[in-house]
Amino acid sequence: AQATTGIRGTTPNLFGNSSIFGAASVGYGYLFDPEEGGVCWEISAGINITPRFLIGVAYNNQAVNIDDYSMHVNYISLRLGINL
């Protein structure tokens, strides 16, 4: 689970109602399995196909410190979404 805050930028309309967006966020993430948490951040980019529907990719990184060592959980995801 992650709680983040960030910024998002969108270009003017390119083709009809479509536009390109980019976003960055940072916050705190918690992993339930080792029951530890740490700083997390994410960057993403994509296309607003219409004002309501988007498709994009995101890279997420979360640091977790467990006793004497630290680990990072990273993933790249495909996003399909709805803007409310």
Side-chain angles (χ1 to χ4, degrees), residues 1-73:
Q2 295 179 345
T4 61
T5 187
I7 59 172
R8 178 181 168 118
T10 303
T11 66
N13 289 346
L14 300 174
F15 310 106
N17 289 331
S18 65
S19 61
I20 297 172
F21 72 88
S25 61
V26 65
Y28 181 81
Y30 184 80
L31 295 176
F32 293 103
D33 186 25
E35 296 184 356
E36 296 289 339
V39 175
C40 64
W41 57 272
E42 180 177 278
I43 55 173
S44 62
I47 299 172
N48 292 314
I49 299 168
T50 68
R52 297 218 17 118
F53 298 103
L54 66 91
I55 186 169
V57 295
Y59 174 77
N60 188 288
N61 179 297
Q62 181 172 333
V64 178
N65 296 317
I66 301 173
D67 297 327
D68 294 334
Y69 71 96
S70 64
M71 68 179 190
H72 290 269
V73 178

